[in-house]
């Protein structure tokens, strides 16, 4: 298998990666055939996966604009994946040129490509770290150089917590990050769920099985379980809801207006909370 120039040395390009699969769903080019094969297998069970990912990205963009409108111009995006058009720093800095963003991911392809994309941008950085180890994230030099944790920060955990199993204690990880944030900080979160998917749980479970087979278990949590991640935060209206339903009014984003037309867009949940 030929290794493309953008693939960093040392990674096994015969093993699927969830960030590269996500890139494929969004129509990106930074994925390998092994990733595309896994994505196509998952789509045999859940053909609306690309629409779900588009709704997820559209929610993220609305939440970033909301944060800037609230005066929060620092962003810590954990599980950021491979940069695509309309990523956090582009949306935030379009609304506020002084906005600062730190991306965090444990996938070497995502980290390497982010560094290439962000070269020369002194208000945006990338950290190689894992959400399962919040201390490593918070201790990263890029975080202290770019973000002032004594001021409000928007913490983005978008489409990442469902890759943490219960044994990883994801609630403790979120709580540790919350305690490091100043009052007025925001938690922006999306999570997969069987609730809202327009097919049976049994059929959707086949898609979950594909992720388990590639050793990236996907944990589908209920709306109530997802809401628990906001403990210590005050939910912003309308609360934890299907992603197209979170503050859709007045958007000029084409994806936002298209998503509600497809029932798959309502799969899973998104929400924003504010630390008192």
């Amino acid at each position: 298998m030929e290794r493309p120039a953008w693939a960093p040395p040392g990674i096994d390009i015969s093993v699927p990666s969830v960030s590269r699969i996500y890139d494929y769903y969004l129509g990106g080019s930074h994925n390998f055939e092994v990733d595309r094969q896994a994505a196509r297998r998952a789509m045999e069970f859940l053909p609306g996966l690309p629409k779900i990912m588009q709704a997820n990205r559209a929610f993220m963009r609305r939440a970033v604009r909301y944060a800037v409108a609230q005066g929060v111009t620092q962003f810590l995006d954990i599980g950021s994946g491979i940069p695509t058009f309309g990523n956090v720093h582009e949306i935030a800095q379009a609304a506020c040129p002084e906005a600062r963003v730190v991306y965090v991911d444990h996938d070497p392809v995502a980290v390497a490509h982010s560094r290439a994309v962000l070269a020369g941008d002194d208000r945006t950085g990338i950290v190689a770290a894992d959400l399962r180890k919040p201390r490593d994230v918070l201790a990263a030099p890029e975080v202290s150089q770019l973000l002032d944790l004594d001021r409000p920060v928007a913490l983005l955990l978008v489409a990442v917590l469902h890759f943490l199993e219960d044994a990883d204690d994801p609630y403790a990880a979120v709580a540790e990050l919350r305690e490091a944030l100043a009052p007025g900080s925001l938690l922006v979160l999306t999570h997969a769920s069987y609730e809202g998917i327009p097919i049976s749980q049994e059929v959707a479970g086949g898609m979950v099985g594909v992720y388990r087979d590639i050793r990236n278990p996907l944990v589908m949590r209920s709306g109530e379980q997802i809401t628990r991640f906001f403990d210590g935060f005050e939910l912003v209206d309308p609360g934890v809801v299907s992603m197209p339903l979170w503050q859709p009014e007045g958007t000029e984003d084409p994806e936002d207006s298209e998503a509600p037309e497809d029932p798959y867009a309502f799969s899973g949940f998104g929400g924003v909370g504010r630390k008192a």
Side-chain angles (χ1 to χ4, degrees):
M1 184 184 302
E2 184 177 351
R3 179 183 295 272
W6 52 262
I11 69 160
D12 186 349
I13 62 176
S14 68
V15 177
S17 153
V18 293
S19 64
R20 298 194 305 266
I21 292 172
Y22 186 76
D23 178 69
Y24 173 75
Y25 290 143
L26 291 173
S29 59
H30 290 83
N31 49 77
F32 306 125
E33 182 56 29
V34 67
D35 306 307
R36 296 188 283 273
Q37 289 175 354
R40 288 191 287 264
R41 288 200 304 273
M43 289 170 63
E44 290 176 6
F45 299 98
L46 202 64
L49 277 167
K51 182 56 68 175
I52 295 172
M53 305 311 168
Q54 291 166 19
N56 184 80
R57 294 282 296 184
F59 163 85
M60 178 272 289
R61 289 192 289 270
R62 295 197 306 279
V64 168
R65 294 187 189 108
Y66 171 84
V68 174
Q70 297 297 307
V72 179
T73 58
Q74 302 186 104
F75 297 84
L76 179 59
D77 183 1
I78 304 179
S80 52
I82 296 169
T84 57
F85 176 75
N87 219 25
V88 174
H89 72 284
E90 294 175 330
I91 301 301
Q93 291 170 0
C96 174
E98 300 303 311
R100 295 174 179 268
V101 179
V102 174
Y103 292 117
V104 181
D105 208 285
H106 72 284
D107 185 321
V109 169
V111 172
H113 191 56
S114 296
R115 286 188 174 136
V117 169
L118 301 173
D121 185 341
D122 60 3
R123 293 188 176 88
T124 310
I126 176 70
V127 173
D130 195 313
L131 174 57
R132 297 171 183 85
K133 298 178 180 179
R135 292 183 187 178
D136 291 352
V137 173
L138 296 169
E142 293 86 351
V143 172
S144 59
Q145 290 166 5
L146 285 169
L147 306 181
D148 179 0
L149 296 184
D150 292 327
R151 295 174 47 241
V153 172
L155 169 63
L156 277 69
L157 300 175
V158 175
V160 63
L161 284 165
H162 46 233
F163 291 112
L164 270 62
E165 299 182 271
D166 291 342
D168 296 318
D169 203 352
Y171 295 103
V174 175
E176 187 170 346
L177 290 165
R178 180 193 68 223
E179 291 307 304
L181 299 177
S185 292
L186 301 174
L187 171 61
V188 177
L189 183 154
T190 66
H191 198 295
S193 177
Y194 285 121
E195 298 177 29
I197 292 180
I199 57 174
S200 71
Q201 181 171 327
E202 181 181 10
V203 174
M207 177 272 296
V208 174
V210 171
Y211 280 89
R212 183 175 58 249
D213 291 345
I214 65 172
R215 301 177 186 175
N216 284 284
L218 181 64
V219 182
M220 306 289 270
R221 295 187 170 96
S222 68
E224 181 179 355
Q225 290 172 317
I226 295 166
T227 302
R228 277 185 55 203
F229 286 114
F230 288 95
D231 286 354
F233 293 89
E234 298 174 353
L235 282 170
V236 172
D237 286 338
V240 178
V241 295
S242 296
M243 292 175 289
L245 301 180
W246 194 87
Q247 300 204 5
E249 302 83 2
T251 179
E252 297 178 358
D253 191 323
E255 285 192 31
D256 293 6
S257 60
E258 292 173 6
E261 298 177 5
D262 191 303
Y264 278 103
F266 293 87
S267 306
F269 292 94
V272 176
R274 179 181 290 104
K275 182 176 177 179

